[in-house]
Amino acid sequence: MAMRVFKSVIFLTLLQLGFWVSAEPVVVVNARSAVPKLSRDEVINIFLGRYRQLPTGETALPIDQPEGSALRSEFYRKLVNKEPNEINAYWARLIFSGKTAPPKEASSPAEVVSSLLAHPGAIAYLERSQLDARFKVVLEFAP
Amino acid sequence: MSSTAQPPAALWRMHGLLLRSILVVILASVVAGLAAVAYAAYSTSARAHKASRIHLNELLDTVESTLKVACFAKDETLAGELATGLLSNSDVLAVTISSEQTVLANRQRHTALAPESVAARMQLRRVIYSPFNPDKEVGHIVLVPDPQGINARIAEEVRLAALQLTWQLAMVAFAVAAIMLVFIVRPIKAISDRLHSMDPTVGERLPIPRRHAHTEIGQLVRDINQLSDRLVDTLAQEHELLRQRDIDEKKYHAIFDNAESGIFIVDSKGSVSSGDPAFSRLFDIVNSPAEGASASLHLGLLPIAAPDQATDLIATALRQNSSVAQDILIRLQAGQPRWVNIVLSPIGDNLLQGVVHDVTHLKESEASARRLVVTDTLTGQANRSGLLEYLQAQVQAFADSQIDGFALLLVNLDEFKRINEGMGLPAGDEILKTTTTRLASCIKVGDLVARLSADTFGLVLNGITQGDVAEQVAGRVLQAIRQTYFAESVPIQLKASVGITLFPNDGRDVPILLRQAELAMGSAKSGGGNSCVFFDPVLAESAERRRQLETDMRSALRNQEMVLFYQPVVDLQTHRLAGAEALIRWRHPARGLVGPDNFVALAEQTGLIVDIGLFVLDAACRQLRDWRQAGLDYTLSFNVSGRQIPDGLPPAKLREMIHHYGIDPAKLALEITEGVMLQDIDKSLAWLQAVHALGLRIHLDDFGTGYSSLSYLKRFPIDTLKIDQSFVKDMQGTGNERTLVGAILAMASSLGLEVVAEGVELPSHRQALRAMGCHYAQGFLFSRPVPAEQFASVAAQLALMLEVVAAEATVERMLG
């Protein structure tokens, strides 16, 4: 009994710690997608509106986590070393010309997962803990 | 000093300093201005371009982040907006924004200027990096600046610079002109004006312009003034030189024309080519060859006594190639013959320059001087030199067998000194002249009369070699001189002594002959005069002896061969030794002891007696001192010759010796003879009184043999009489002599004089003298003269003897 209690405590503690310390975003696509691995630059180009094409030739559909999400902040920090407000300023200039648009913003993390599963060209970033067989990791950030 | 060209008065002249300097200043200003403007343009342009570049860069900086986004996103719209925005800046002509492959935007201003025409270096190109990766290029932007704007700015700036420079340069030029005018041009003009009116020779000088005392202008003025001084000085010197040259020229002309010396040129053949007036005058040439150049005059034609002399002289001068001179006798037609001195100097080309002058006066004075040397000025006859010269000539003539011989007579007037002293020199001279005439009348024509010294004449009788003939002439001479002379109407009788020597019998040498004649004459004179004596070899012998004696005497004094002997003087009344008489002796190295009789007479003749007398004085004083130091109270007397009075033994010397030896003068006595008083009475008396005043005693020696004048005894300060030994020796019995001694003693007693009897040899003398009251005595009875070192022992013997005598006397008295 005591042993269980101890294990639970550790688990919870670890959980807490993991939640606190770092969201660990990984870039994923639908597991069925033919897209192999992607480079960081390819991910940047897709998410920051430069190209919207996957190497497979499919139109890329980048999906952002909801506004204010820690994962989202962590993703951009890891990707281009920018804070969310900087990313917003970037987009603000482009939105003015109307030529390109920012990634589609999911209203919740669940919607990210559903959008990934729903669109073949979808590309998003998830918490590593969220990974499962439905998704294929195309880019992992170095810890 | 007036200038011919008047300078333009204006300051502004075409080539004036002022205009020139202003032109130079302007030119320099323009060049400097252009350079400055060019530099301003260049630097302004560079600055403008740099400023434009900075401006554009700043512009780019403001839009760079948006540009990054646009290029990253390849957003043409956004790029276009940016380009339009940039173009709104007036400096920008065109903007091109490109991504990696495509041009996103290309905008340009609508002007005439094509962007391509703008130099590529002016374009501004900037690479645009990804906003997410600063290393990744995502495009670039090119800005083309608008050169028009820049150029306009440059132009404006250059214009402003040019304007400013123009102003400044204008001001500088004006200032330079003003300074030139005030500080340089005007002072120089003033100096120049003053120089034109200035006359430096009257001392005018430039004033230093005001405030220019220490400037270069002032220095220039000083330099000009110094130059003026030097020029004026030089001018004055030049004037002086010219004047001097003028004077010199005139002087030389005058010298040449008025020269006493004749100057001429003659060639080797004797032709005179030119000559000065003096030359013509000297040779009495009427047509001067100097005047008529064609008329050639030959030296041989001149009135030269021996014409060959001139031509010989020319030949000599040419041969030796040096100056030669000769005195030549010329005989002019009128007047006396004259002597001229001709100097000929070769001057090359076989020509000779001659200088000739009259030396007649010189010759005459030479001859006169020669005559004077051998002539007696008083009588006009030959003097001693003349006689010697004549005798030499005669001796030579004999050697040449021209004559047989001659007799030489020397005539001396006896007692002539008395005439000169008694009647004066003019009377003496008259008598000498008369004598000359009388002597001349005694000889033949061709014989010679000469005056050798004051009263000695010489006669040379030519052809007379026989004594009897010479003696006849001598007799005539004596006769002639015995004739009565009249000097100032006073009749005077004179006699002469004549010495005769015969040539060649008596001697063949002139000095010897003369000496022989003198000896013979001296012999005649010592024989009493008024006689003639032939030279005799015996005379020469005795003269030689005397000469030898004299020499010996001199060395005797030097070698201390003279000594004093002392003969005791005894006091007859007290029977004691009273003192001594010092007597001179000569210890001759060869002849032994020599008495005074053998040399004092000669010493008196030669004057050596003075030196001997001084020696005697010294020795006597020393002896007195020695006696005094030995406690002996002796008196000492010594003999003084008449020749020593008054100058040979001056009273001052006596006093000095007395002091020197510290003796009592009363103990020293000087013995004199009556002869002393017969000489110069006044001098002798003065000397005696001076000596007596020193405290010295005076003894009258040899009393009774001479005049024995009673008046002298009274007049002269005599202390003691010394009765001559002849009276004492003859004093026998009651005879005459004894009476004489008695008379002398009586007289001395009455005159208060003491008496010393000399020559006491016999006891009877002593007794008689003592009986007659004679005080002192000396003689062989007591002692002969002895050297000083023996005197003490003699004195001791005398003391014994006198004791005996005294004892006898006492007995006599007691018996008597």
Side-chain angles (χ1 to χ4, degrees):
Chain A
M1 181 69 198
M3 193 62 173
R4 276 179 68 184
V5 171
F6 177 70
K7 281 182 180 174
S8 308
V9 167
I10 291 215
F11 175 78
L12 282 171
T13 306
L14 285 174
L15 198 74
Q16 281 294 110
L17 276 172
F19 181 80
W20 255 105
V21 171
S22 63
E24 192 180 347
V26 287
V27 182
V28 296
V29 293
N30 195 320
R32 284 174 304 178
S33 170
V35 176
K37 293 283 180 185
L38 286 176
S39 71
R40 179 190 283 257
D41 277 345
E42 282 169 334
V43 174
I44 289 171
N45 287 344
I46 291 165
F47 269 87
L48 287 154
R50 203 163 187 225
Y51 303 115
R52 288 286 162 84
Q53 223 168 11
L54 292 168
T56 53
E58 284 173 296
T59 302
L61 177 65
I63 301 160
D64 261 337
Q65 293 284 350
E67 176 87 36
S69 146
L71 186 61
R72 179 168 162 175
S73 300
E74 189 61 20
F75 169 71
Y76 280 109
R77 216 174 275 140
K78 286 251 165 78
L79 187 70
V80 291
N81 196 25
K82 297 282 185 205
E83 294 303 315
N85 55 340
E86 288 175 294
I87 299 297
N88 290 343
Y90 171 78
W91 281 116
R93 287 173 178 141
L94 288 175
I95 290 162
F96 163 75
S97 65
K99 190 96 180 293
T100 184
K104 183 189 173 199
E105 189 177 321
S107 55
S108 67
E111 194 185 332
V112 175
V113 172
S114 62
S115 294
L116 267 173
L117 297 175
H119 300 289
I123 181 164
Y125 49 92
L126 292 176
E127 181 64 46
R128 184 174 285 273
S129 57
Q130 290 179 283
L131 290 181
D132 55 31
R134 295 172 296 178
F135 311 117
K136 181 162 73 179
V137 175
V138 289
L139 178 66
E140 283 177 301
F141 297 107
Chain B
M1 296 253 147
S2 68
S3 163
T4 47
Q6 286 297 321
L11 283 175
W12 298 95
R13 282 185 288 167
M14 199 54 203
H15 300 288
L17 209 52
L18 188 58
L19 194 60
R20 197 181 292 183
S21 56
I22 288 171
L23 284 177
V24 169
V25 166
I26 288 173
L27 192 65
S29 302
V30 167
V31 171
L34 287 177
V37 168
Y39 178 73
Y42 168 77
S43 64
T44 306
S45 156
R47 258 189 301 114
H49 280 111
K50 197 175 171 196
S52 155
R53 211 168 183 77
I54 290 167
H55 179 65
L56 293 180
N57 266 320
E58 283 169 358
L59 210 56
L60 281 181
D61 287 345
T62 57
V63 298
E64 186 169 18
S65 53
T66 312
L67 263 175
K68 283 181 174 177
V69 172
C71 287
F72 184 78
K74 299 184 178 110
D75 188 335
E76 290 172 358
T77 313
L78 189 56
E81 283 299 322
L82 279 172
T84 307
L86 286 171
L87 214 54
S88 68
N89 194 293
S90 65
D91 281 352
V92 181
L93 182 66
V95 183
T96 306
I97 300 171
S98 311
S99 72
E100 279 150 293
Q101 289 90 23
T102 57
V103 173
L104 296 178
N106 190 1
R107 301 280 192 279
Q108 72 175 77
R109 197 185 297 280
H110 298 290
T111 56
L113 201 67
E116 293 76 24
S117 66
V118 177
R121 66 175 177 81
M122 288 178 67
Q123 293 178 358
L124 187 68
R125 185 177 187 277
R126 187 181 281 197
V127 174
I128 307 296
Y129 294 94
S130 158
F132 308 107
N133 186 354
D135 296 327
K136 187 176 170 58
E137 282 185 31
V138 290
H140 62 267
I141 180 167
V142 173
L143 275 185
V144 179
D146 188 353
Q148 274 179 337
I150 292 170
N151 288 348
R153 256 207 319 281
I154 291 170
E156 176 66 12
E157 285 205 25
V158 168
R159 199 174 59 81
L160 274 173
L163 195 64
Q164 198 174 353
L165 267 172
T166 307
W167 260 109
Q168 286 172 352
L169 291 176
M171 293 297 285
V172 166
F174 178 75
V176 166
I179 286 165
M180 286 288 290
L181 184 64
V182 171
F183 288 112
I184 298 171
V185 176
R186 270 220 311 245
I188 288 178
K189 177 74 168 65
I191 291 167
S192 166
D193 290 348
R194 172 88 178 124
L195 266 177
H196 280 291
S197 61
M198 188 177 88
D199 183 1
T201 54
V202 299
E204 287 181 7
R205 293 293 181 271
L206 287 177
I208 292 175
R210 216 147 48 84
R211 293 194 302 275
H212 278 289
H214 303 292
T215 66
E216 286 79 356
I217 296 277
Q219 189 55 48
L220 179 67
V221 169
R222 274 192 287 274
D223 290 347
I224 289 171
N225 283 340
Q226 280 171 13
L227 184 65
S228 302
D229 291 346
R230 286 202 298 275
L231 285 176
V232 168
D233 283 353
T234 311
L235 211 61
Q237 283 169 10
E238 187 88 358
H239 272 302
E240 181 55 30
L241 279 176
L242 276 174
R243 207 174 60 79
Q244 191 60 45
R245 206 180 63 188
D246 235 31
I247 291 171
D248 286 351
E249 213 159 280
K250 282 178 190 155
K251 215 155 54 186
Y252 285 126
H253 265 297
I255 288 170
F256 187 76
D257 291 340
N258 304 325
E260 286 294 324
S261 301
I263 301 165
F264 62 97
I265 303 289
V266 64
D267 68 9
S268 58
K269 295 191 182 69
S271 290
V272 176
S273 51
S274 64
D276 67 346
F279 177 73
S280 307
R281 206 160 52 238
L282 278 171
F283 288 104
D284 199 16
I285 302 162
V286 182
N287 296 316
S288 165
E291 307 298 333
S294 58
S296 169
L297 181 81
H298 197 271
L299 266 192
L301 297 177
L302 293 174
I304 297 171
D308 287 348
Q309 279 183 321
T311 43
D312 288 353
L313 200 59
I314 290 171
T316 310
L318 287 173
R319 193 173 62 247
Q320 295 178 349
N321 196 26
S322 64
S323 292
V324 293
Q326 193 172 356
D327 292 341
I328 288 176
L329 186 65
I330 57 172
R331 297 187 191 283
L332 301 176
Q333 285 179 342
Q336 294 281 322
R338 301 195 72 78
W339 281 95
V340 293
N341 177 268
I342 293 182
V343 180
L344 287 179
S345 310
I347 53 175
D349 203 17
N350 265 346
L351 286 176
L352 295 145
Q353 184 206 52
V355 178
V356 53
H357 51 269
D358 194 330
V359 292
T360 309
H361 289 300
L362 212 62
K363 285 273 178 188
E364 279 171 358
S365 19
E366 253 177 42
S368 137
R370 254 202 310 276
R371 265 200 309 278
L372 216 60
V373 170
V374 296
T375 305
D376 172 42
T377 45
L378 177 65
T379 61
Q381 301 295 329
N383 59 12
R384 189 181 186 90
S385 301
L387 177 69
L388 287 172
E389 214 168 76
Y390 183 79
L391 287 175
Q392 292 286 8
Q394 292 302 99
V395 169
Q396 187 59 46
F398 175 78
D400 297 345
S401 307
Q402 289 167 3
I403 58 168
D404 297 333
F406 56 86
L408 171 63
L409 276 65
L410 287 189
V411 181
N412 184 260
L413 300 179
D414 298 335
E415 307 275 321
F416 179 73
K417 222 171 110 185
R418 282 195 297 121
I419 310 270
N420 266 349
E421 286 174 356
M423 307 192 63
L425 286 174
D429 287 351
E430 271 313 308
I431 287 172
L432 289 172
K433 282 187 201 170
T434 311
T435 305
T436 309
T437 317
R438 292 183 185 180
L439 289 175
S441 69
C442 296
I443 57 173
K444 293 188 307 218
V445 175
D447 290 348
L448 179 82
V449 179
R451 179 164 165 256
L452 275 68
S453 62
D455 53 357
T456 305
F457 296 85
L459 301 176
V460 180
L461 311 177
N462 282 314
I464 293 177
T465 54
Q466 298 300 312
D468 48 352
V469 186
E471 195 168 13
Q472 283 170 21
V473 178
R476 284 210 297 274
V477 166
L478 291 173
Q479 176 70 35
I481 288 174
R482 274 201 302 273
Q483 304 295 315
T484 307
Y485 289 86
F486 287 93
E488 294 162 3
S489 309
V490 179
I492 293 169
Q493 292 294 330
L494 278 176
K495 292 180 290 183
S497 303
V498 179
I500 306 170
T501 186
L502 297 169
F503 178 88
N505 291 350
D506 291 338
R508 303 197 167 206
D509 189 48
V510 171
I512 287 174
L513 279 174
L514 209 55
R515 175 90 187 116
Q516 289 172 345
E518 274 167 3
L519 283 172
M521 184 180 76
S523 177
K525 187 171 283 288
S526 53
N530 193 27
S531 63
C532 72
V533 171
F534 278 87
F535 167 73
D536 180 350
V538 175
L539 282 178
E541 211 174 281
S542 90
E544 172 58 24
R545 229 181 11 254
R546 281 158 55 93
R547 198 188 57 74
Q548 184 62 45
L549 185 61
E550 191 185 335
T551 313
D552 284 359
M553 247 190 305
R554 288 185 196 280
S555 64
L557 271 175
R558 273 201 307 277
N559 300 337
Q560 298 174 337
E561 291 168 15
M562 295 289 177
V563 291
L564 286 189
F565 274 44
Y566 300 93
Q567 183 167 42
V569 174
V570 173
D571 187 333
L572 293 176
Q573 307 302 323
T574 61
H575 304 290
R576 288 175 57 191
L577 179 59
E581 177 183 357
L583 295 158
I584 186 89
R585 293 287 184 275
W586 180 1
R587 287 190 205 276
H588 196 283
R591 290 157 61 193
L593 205 60
V594 180
D597 297 347
N598 293 315
F599 63 88
V600 167
L602 181 63
E604 284 180 334
Q605 281 173 34
T606 56
L608 263 176
I609 192 70
V610 170
D611 293 324
I612 294 173
L614 288 175
F615 158 75
V616 169
L617 171 66
D618 185 71
C621 290
R622 189 184 305 128
Q623 187 61 57
L624 264 184
R625 181 197 62 188
D626 291 349
W627 281 340
R628 185 192 177 96
Q629 286 175 354
L632 299 168
D633 190 25
Y634 298 149
T635 60
L636 184 61
S637 64
F638 64 89
N639 293 282
V640 175
S641 160
R643 281 293 302 271
Q644 292 174 264
I645 299 170
D647 298 327
L649 193 65
K653 180 70 183 175
L654 287 166
R655 189 173 58 232
E656 179 199 325
M657 296 303 277
I658 289 165
H659 280 291
H660 179 71
Y661 286 107
I663 54 175
D664 178 6
K667 296 290 172 190
L668 192 61
L670 273 55
E671 299 196 3
I672 59 169
T673 59
E674 285 177 314
V676 169
M677 297 185 285
L678 292 174
Q679 291 170 352
D680 188 325
I681 292 169
D682 291 338
K683 282 184 183 171
S684 301
L685 183 57
W687 183 84
L688 277 173
Q689 282 167 345
V691 169
H692 205 247
L694 290 174
L696 294 163
R697 302 290 162 186
I698 308 292
H699 292 188
L700 189 59
D701 208 2
D702 301 339
F703 187 77
T705 56
Y707 296 95
S708 306
S709 163
L710 291 180
S711 72
Y712 285 171
L713 288 183
K714 279 189 74 178
R715 279 178 68 185
F716 286 79
I718 307 290
D719 300 297
T720 304
L721 298 179
K722 295 193 81 168
I723 301 174
D724 191 73
Q725 54 187 335
S726 60
F727 297 112
V728 176
K729 279 176 185 160
D730 293 342
M731 200 167 58
Q732 302 288 348
T734 53
N736 188 32
E737 303 293 343
R738 185 166 174 172
T739 316
L740 206 55
V741 173
I744 293 169
L745 285 168
M747 180 192 70
S749 173
S750 63
L751 286 173
L753 300 172
E754 292 191 322
V755 176
V756 179
E758 289 183 292
V760 177
E761 294 179 356
L762 302 169
S764 60
H765 294 158
R766 172 180 60 79
Q767 286 164 355
L769 287 167
R770 182 168 181 270
M772 284 188 283
C774 180
H775 210 140
Y776 301 101
Q778 66 185 89
F780 287 0
L781 175 65
F782 305 108
S783 169
R784 54 177 63 247
V786 294
E789 55 270 22
Q790 291 179 22
F791 193 83
S793 63
V794 167
Q797 283 177 13
L798 262 181
L800 286 174
M801 181 182 134
L802 288 172
E803 252 176 57
V804 173
V805 171
E808 280 175 7
T810 313
V811 170
E812 270 175 35
R813 206 164 46 240
M814 285 165 69
L815 291 175

